[in-house]
Amino acid sequence: MPAFFSTAPASLATPILFATKSTWESVAASLPALAREFAATNAFKAKPGECLTLPGEDGKLGFVLFGLEDDATKADPFRAGQLPAKLPKGTYRFANAPHDARLATLAFALGSYRFGRYKKAEPYEVSLVPPEGINASELTRMAEAAALARDLINTPPNDMGPDELADAAKALADEFGAAFRCVSGEELAREFPLIHAVGMASTRAPRLIDFTWGDAAHPKITLVGKGVCFDTGGLDLKPSSAMLIMKKDMGGAANVLALARMVMDAKLKVRLRVLIPAVENSVAGNAFRPLDVFRSRKGLTVEIGNTDAEGRLVLADALTLACEDKPDLLIDMGTLTGAARVALGPDLPPFYTNDDALAADVARHARQENDPLWRLPLWQPYDAWLDSKVADINNAPSGGFAGSITCALFMQRFVDAETRWLHADIYGWTPSAKPARPEGGECQGARAFYKLLSERYG
């Protein structure tokens, strides 16, 4: 893990000057003559993301110019995340203020990420002296958590099956002294029948990961993450094009582990529990079938409308277990529906809750952290769409409408009415690179949820 931030004196760091098209003239006037002439010769225009290194009086690197959007309300707060890939080796500082200094500093750290497990990717040898008043420890915590989520999602399923996901969770639990256990085999089949049903066709056994941390006297916060390490769709087989990034289908688990890392590292005053149903949805002679009926841990019978709607099944048993512990707040995250992406695209995950105050807090932190989330309704008239003629509930109603909402309503059936519950239908993936967000696995929602928990339980 690279060191994102430097404790060197600011006077020894190379200054980065931010400019927009409208401020470039005044910024240029502040430069020494040699640097100003160099910028003019290179036709620097302060376009967003444009970067130019300038010589100092001794001919060595003296300044960096970096372009930003003119309109702060339409600017990408993470634009500075492009800097690590553009800068030569060294230590830098912000010489003037970007639109949001804290988010720009975080973006610098997030933009330092590289995934090099299978192809050599040298780390960017750059660091930033944080602006005065910026909590570098907090931003490091967020960047390290994001790197954990990205690494887990980017790892292909041959190296990130249920067992390896459990190993990663145990390593995190051990790092912070959490109590860890894993339920598998006959106990899983008996106690968590939906998790077992989804994973039983794989040669890699399904399991439920369960760890707890913190003072038992503190408020109980339970995190549940979808850990489908690869999703073929089961017997309702996905087309090959839809399988290409299904290594990301454990993105809920990866983001929950990232969130747990931040909570434990910050020593929030909570009793934390993390539950991850880890499975592979495979095709074999013993695979679960459309129209099969299973009795869930909660006792509700579930008819299988579609084997490719498996994430809500494994989460249902985990949510039931979570509610048995009577948590103060229950948060689940999963890469659940294509319908969420059709509605809101890959960058804006929907979230659901019946607690209006909680929803307002989530939305506020999502805006402040540039970690977008958008509330969708638990629209009760659609609940009847989940009806089954032979069981208590069907996991995938026909019709194709409101798929993310009906998924949330399905999961709500397994959450006790008195439990404060927050559900996020994330994508967990950046389809094409953006500032501070490289193409590949992504940490979505976890920073916003962490700030929510920090505010309430810090």
Side-chain angles (χ1 to χ4, degrees), residues 228-409:
V228 178
C229 295
F230 190 77
D231 181 21
T232 65
L235 292 179
D236 287 310
L237 195 68
K238 292 179 183 290
S240 59
S241 59
M243 279 194 227
L244 283 176
I245 56 171
M246 279 300 100
K247 67 180 182 180
K248 79 170 185 64
D249 217 21
M250 41 64 70
N255 276 271
V256 157
L257 291 175
L259 176 53
R261 165 174 271 284
M262 288 186 277
V263 168
M264 293 188 291
D265 188 60
K267 298 179 175 60
L268 297 188
K269 296 178 178 63
V270 300
R271 193 284 240 151
L272 179 71
R273 189 178 193 185
V274 175
L275 299 172
I276 296 173
V279 304
E280 182 175 42
N281 187 19
S282 296
V283 177
N286 65 330
F288 74 124
R289 296 163 286 253
L291 302 189
D292 278 353
V293 176
F294 297 94
R295 187 172 298 279
S296 67
R297 178 179 179 86
K298 191 176 181 68
L300 294 174
T301 54
V302 181
E303 181 183 25
I304 306 303
N306 192 306
T307 63
D308 196 20
E310 83 300 328
R312 66 198 69 180
L313 294 173
V314 299
L315 288 174
D317 272 353
L319 289 170
T320 299
L321 175 63
C323 289
E324 292 167 9
D325 203 28
K326 306 297 182 186
D328 185 66
L329 176 61
L330 171 58
I331 300 174
D332 80 75
M333 304 181 76
T335 52
L336 285 156
T337 69
R341 261 40 74 191
V342 171
L344 298 176
D347 301 338
L348 182 58
F351 74 94
Y352 299 82
T353 180
N354 270 337
D355 185 323
D356 291 340
L358 178 62
D361 284 345
V362 169
R364 173 167 52 86
H365 288 297
R367 288 191 302 271
Q368 291 173 351
E369 298 306 315
N370 194 35
D371 194 10
L373 292 163
W374 194 264
R375 188 186 189 185
L376 288 184
L378 289 160
W379 187 247
Q380 290 305 313
Y382 293 164
D383 191 68
W385 294 359
L386 298 168
D387 289 348
S388 165
K389 294 179 180 178
V390 300
D392 293 320
I393 192 171
N394 189 295
N395 81 317
S398 61
F401 292 130
S404 182
I405 294 175
T406 55
C407 175
L409 290 169

Side-chain angles (χ1 to χ4, degrees), residues 413-430:
R413 296 279 192 100
F414 298 87
V415 176
D416 292 345
E418 65 273 14
T419 299
R420 187 180 290 108
W421 172 54
L422 180 59
H423 159 60
D425 188 348
I426 66 170
Y427 193 47
W429 191 262
T430 300

Side-chain angles (χ1 to χ4, degrees), residues 7-237:
T7 57
S11 60
L12 299 181
T14 302
I16 298 171
L17 284 161
F18 295 102
T20 69
K21 289 181 180 179
S22 63
T23 65
W24 166 229
E25 187 174 333
S26 62
V27 170
S30 70
L31 293 170
L34 177 63
R36 186 166 60 250
E37 182 64 28
F38 189 88
T41 301
N42 284 272
F44 182 79
K45 301 295 184 184
K47 294 181 292 186
E50 185 180 5
C51 185
L52 181 66
T53 54
L54 304 178
E57 296 297 336
D58 57 0
K60 297 179 181 178
L61 177 61
F63 306 88
V64 175
L65 296 175
F66 189 74
L68 297 177
E69 297 88 344
D70 258 316
D71 188 345
T73 64
K74 297 179 180 179
D76 184 344
F78 279 173
R79 178 65 65 189
Q82 293 178 299
L83 282 165
K86 294 174 178 284
L87 296 174
K89 177 181 178 180
T91 301
Y92 298 85
R93 64 179 174 88
F94 295 164
N96 59 350
H99 295 309
D100 186 314
R102 190 179 72 88
L103 289 180
T105 304
L106 174 60
F108 189 97
L110 293 174
S112 299
Y113 174 83
R114 304 201 78 185
F115 182 66
R117 178 165 177 172
Y118 303 97
K119 184 177 181 179
K120 188 174 182 180
E122 295 293 343
Y124 300 123
E125 295 184 87
V126 295
S127 61
L128 182 72
V129 177
E132 190 172 345
I134 298 295
N135 186 339
S137 296
E138 179 82 337
L139 299 188
T140 296
R141 181 177 299 127
M142 291 180 173
E144 288 179 347
L148 171 65
R150 289 168 171 177
D151 280 348
L152 292 173
I153 297 170
N154 285 331
T155 301
N158 58 310
D159 287 329
M160 187 51 65
D163 191 49
E164 290 84 359
L165 183 55
D167 288 344
K170 187 176 188 306
L172 181 63
D174 289 347
E175 180 180 350
F176 291 97
F180 180 91
R181 77 182 188 114
C182 209
V183 181
S184 59
E186 292 183 4
E187 183 182 1
L188 184 80
R190 182 176 64 253
E191 298 294 331
F192 304 97
L194 294 182
I195 299 173
H196 177 262
V198 172
M200 64 186 176
S202 175
T203 56
R204 299 191 288 182
R207 65 209 62 210
L208 177 71
I209 298 161
D210 183 356
F211 69 82
T212 56
W213 171 90
D215 189 333
H218 287 158
K220 296 178 180 179
I221 305 301
T222 300
L223 312 178
V224 179
K226 175 186 170 184
V228 178
C229 295
F230 190 77
D231 181 21
T232 65
L235 292 179
D236 287 310
L237 195 68

